Amino acid sequence: MSKTEVDDATISRVLMYIQRFGDLNPRILGALAHNKNMDSVIKLIKEEFSLNVSYIARYKSIGLKALFFC
């Protein structure tokens, strides 16, 4: 299996888009980052750097309030 060669600028750009949009659809991320082999880049980042993506709800951005009851 041949490894994909990726430069640091591409990794930085891909991480920015993953941070902003998540990693659910690599084709959309590839279109935004102008990278045709986004599937292999995301796979490389996940394997080499142990990338784990978790999602945090931003209540204010969608007009909700977080309330805590005791």
Side-chain angles (χ1 to χ4, degrees):
M1 184 173 152
S2 63
K3 290 211 167 196
T4 306
E5 289 291 326
V6 181
D7 60 342
D8 292 340
T10 303
I11 291 175
S12 175
R13 192 171 346 134
V14 169
L15 288 174
M16 179 191 68
Y17 285 116
I18 289 175
Q19 177 185 7
R20 182 159 250 206
F21 301 112
D23 65 340
L24 296 177
N25 196 336
R27 292 180 72 195
I28 293 175
L29 290 177
L32 292 171
H34 305 291
N35 192 340
K36 292 183 180 184
N37 60 347
M38 186 61 74
D39 290 328
S40 60
V41 173
I42 290 175
K43 184 178 178 183
L44 175 79
I45 291 172
K46 284 184 177 183
E47 290 174 357
E48 288 277 328
F49 305 108
S50 302
L51 174 72
N52 294 320
V53 178
S54 61
Y55 300 98
I56 298 172
R58 290 186 243 162
Y59 300 106
K60 289 183 181 179
S61 64
I62 58 174
L64 298 175
K65 293 182 181 179
L67 300 174
F68 297 97
F69 294 98
C70 297

